[in-house]
Amino acid sequence: MALPRNLDVDLLRAFAAIAAEQNISRAAERLLRNQSTVSLQLKRLEELVGQRLFERTPRRVSLTHDGEVLLGYANRMLALNDEVMDRINEPRLEGTVRLGVPEDFATSHMPAILGDFARTHPLVALEVTCDLTLNLMAQFRQGGFDIVLVKREPAARVTGVRVWREPLVWVGAEGYTLPDNGVVPLVLSPEPCVYRKRAVASLRRARRKWRVAYTCGSLAGNLGAVKAGLGVSVLPKDMVPRDLHIMGAGGLPTLRDTEIALITASNLARPSQRLREHIIASLEKPVRPGR
């Protein structure tokens, strides 16, 4: 009787990172390993399961049917493995972690992620700051954060690990219609802002007239202006509040995807390392290709 084959957690972790990044070199960056090591791990896993897990092109890799089946199990196994190791090996992990997050991302995605971390590591004090990416990066460069999540252009050559990417959409108040004069009123954050840049660039490419009707550094302020019918704004699709609606095809141009990157200070203490790993694992999912 043949002995059962055992799946190696390190191989599964490399596989999940490649699936999320759709690129081996970016997966290696995420795992803090070199590309040849991650490529070898993928090869070993494919030999172990006896199936090809990715289709490869010069620029990206995509999951095969067998790869998609394995990914669901791999994510569950990795989550259970990490939970067990946290509970057994670091029951009294303590210290302070200073985290900076863009306000909209903090509101929509981070509470559950940080809540899970806090329950697992009750002695770690989290100091979370929500602000514009420009301000977060300025504070980070001055040593104000251990970890920072920032918005960036998908093609930007900025140090850090991509942890999130999704489509941007135009949003307006329920029943809102664009003015008859053809000028698009915009509700935006101050410059420099990735969403502002993306909105203006798309309108210019489409040769649409526009004006900035409302500018506020607060997400709540901008959402309030949109709800009041002062104009339209741009948000990631998964972050659109229930009391706003995604604008239809009424002449507004397509927007390119948004991206969130995680950047860490050098020589992270163990609590910060664990939070970094937790955020990446929690947000990990196959990245939708850019438009």
Side-chain angles (χ1 to χ4, degrees):
M1 179 178 177
L3 293 175
R5 291 173 291 175
N6 297 318
L7 291 170
D8 187 308
V9 173
D10 283 339
L11 302 185
L12 292 178
R13 200 176 299 280
F15 163 69
I18 296 169
E21 292 291 345
Q22 295 186 326
N23 181 282
I24 294 177
S25 63
R26 288 198 298 267
E29 179 184 353
R30 170 179 291 202
L31 296 168
L32 303 179
R33 296 174 180 169
N34 59 55
Q35 183 175 340
S36 60
T37 298
V38 175
S39 295
L40 180 59
Q41 288 179 308
L42 174 58
K43 180 180 178 181
R44 288 174 55 195
L45 182 61
E46 288 184 326
E47 291 174 349
L48 180 62
V49 300
Q51 301 292 339
R52 190 174 181 84
L53 301 175
F54 291 101
E55 298 292 346
R56 297 164 174 82
T57 66
R59 292 189 176 182
R60 59 189 289 263
V61 296
S62 58
L63 289 166
T64 63
H65 173 72
D66 292 312
E68 291 178 352
V69 172
L70 178 59
L71 182 61
Y73 290 104
N75 285 334
R76 288 159 55 190
M77 292 171 69
L78 290 171
L80 183 58
N81 174 85
D82 294 346
E83 181 180 347
V84 170
M85 295 303 292
D86 285 348
R87 291 291 177 88
I88 294 177
N89 294 324
E90 297 179 345
R92 297 193 61 79
L93 183 70
E94 57 184 300
T96 300
V97 183
R98 301 166 301 165
L99 172 68
V101 190
E103 184 181 3
D104 49 0
F105 198 75
T107 301
S108 58
H109 294 293
M110 295 306 294
I113 293 173
L114 296 179
D116 288 343
F117 182 85
R119 283 188 291 273
T120 304
H121 303 290
L123 300 182
V124 175
L126 296 177
E127 296 180 358
V128 184
T129 299
C130 302
D131 207 333
L132 299 175
T133 287
L134 175 67
N135 297 333
L136 294 174
M137 283 303 301
Q139 293 180 63
F140 176 76
R141 293 189 187 102
Q142 295 171 4
F145 295 116
D146 303 301
I147 303 171
V148 66
L149 292 167
V150 297
K151 301 172 187 175
R152 71 177 184 186
E153 297 286 353
R157 294 183 177 274
V158 179
T159 301
V161 176
R162 179 176 63 188
V163 293
W164 189 265
R165 188 170 177 179
E166 68 175 305
L168 287 177
V169 294
W170 295 99
V171 297
E174 191 67 38
Y176 178 83
T177 57
L178 294 172
D180 293 335
N181 63 8
V183 179
V184 181
L186 299 175
V187 176
L188 301 169
S189 294
E191 293 183 349
C193 169
V194 172
Y195 299 170
R196 183 187 184 110
K197 180 179 179 182
R198 204 68 61 78
V200 171
S202 66
L203 289 169
R204 283 175 173 164
R205 283 195 304 270
R207 298 183 178 180
R208 291 294 306 275
K209 294 180 180 180
W210 56 273
R211 67 181 181 87
V212 177
Y214 191 94
T215 299
C216 183
S218 162
L219 174 64
N222 283 331
L223 293 180
V226 175
K227 293 172 188 176
L230 298 183
V232 297
S233 192
V234 169
L235 287 175
K237 187 175 182 180
D238 287 351
M239 300 184 195
V240 178
R242 293 182 179 179
D243 50 1
L244 294 180
H245 82 286
I246 297 174
M247 300 291 289
L252 291 173
T254 301
L255 297 155
R256 295 194 177 99
D257 293 354
T258 186
E259 183 170 299
I260 299 290
L262 182 149
I263 304 174
T264 57
S266 57
N267 302 318
L268 285 182
R270 187 59 183 162
S272 297
Q273 292 177 18
R274 293 300 298 126
L275 180 59
R276 175 191 184 276
E277 295 163 4
H278 176 73
I279 291 173
I280 290 175
S282 298
L283 293 175
E284 197 164 53
K285 66 178 183 178
V287 177
R288 285 165 278 192
R291 297 179 181 182

